[in-house]
Amino acid sequence: MTAPPKPLTFPQTHRLKTPAEFDRCYKRKRSASDDVLIVYACENALPHPRLGCSVSKKVGNAVVRGRYKRLFREAFRRSQHDLPPGTDFIMIPRPGPEPTQDAVTASLVKLAKQAARKLGPRPPEPRPEGAP
């Protein structure tokens, strides 16, 4: 008997929303890139990865930026179980022609693992005072 498939959803809990969350990830300065994407990574204390999208006006008008964000969210949704857990990711598009969905998904998985490796080993959880 096989295990039930993991859900491929993208709930609010899997999103970076506040400027402080984005700043924390940028300040960690751990990234990986290829000809499709730049992916920034930083730790979070959650059992799942989270995604933030950053698409500047240099990429195009609002319609084009929205299309990129939809591509990024779908790539994350499809590959979230292949990404390192407990990590926040910010995806930024590279200049050039708009990539395909499969190219974005493959690039995300590869770059997320590279960027997460640069974070190093997980620090131990802080123990409460007086704990043995």
Side-chain angles (χ1 to χ4, degrees):
M1 190 161 148
T2 61
K6 295 180 181 177
L8 294 177
T9 60
F10 188 41
Q12 295 286 325
T13 57
H14 288 57
R15 302 174 191 197
L16 295 179
K17 296 179 193 164
T18 66
E21 291 172 333
F22 279 84
D23 288 343
R24 182 177 56 85
C25 203
Y26 286 130
K27 286 180 182 171
R28 189 70 169 87
K29 295 183 180 174
R30 298 293 185 269
S31 66
S33 65
D34 63 8
D35 57 340
V36 178
L37 293 174
I38 303 169
V39 175
Y40 281 84
C42 70
E43 301 89 350
N44 68 32
L46 302 170
H48 55 79
R50 294 192 304 174
L51 174 70
C53 300
S54 179
V55 185
S56 78
K57 289 185 179 180
K58 293 179 189 176
V59 172
N61 63 18
V63 174
V64 174
R65 293 194 309 270
R67 189 176 305 125
Y68 269 99
K69 290 178 192 177
R70 285 192 301 276
L71 272 172
F72 290 172
R73 287 192 298 261
E74 180 65 8
F76 179 83
R77 187 188 71 79
R78 289 169 50 183
S79 63
Q80 62 187 320
H81 301 297
D82 299 328
L83 302 176
T87 311
D88 290 341
F89 298 104
I90 298 176
M91 295 173 65
I92 303 170
R94 284 284 202 179
E98 187 175 315
T100 64
Q101 182 67 60
D102 291 334
V104 172
T105 303
S107 186
L108 170 61
V109 172
K110 180 182 73 166
L111 296 175
K113 289 178 181 176
Q114 286 177 11
R117 241 190 334 265
K118 291 179 182 180
L119 293 172
R122 296 237 169 231
E125 293 294 321
R127 294 192 303 193
E129 301 247 349

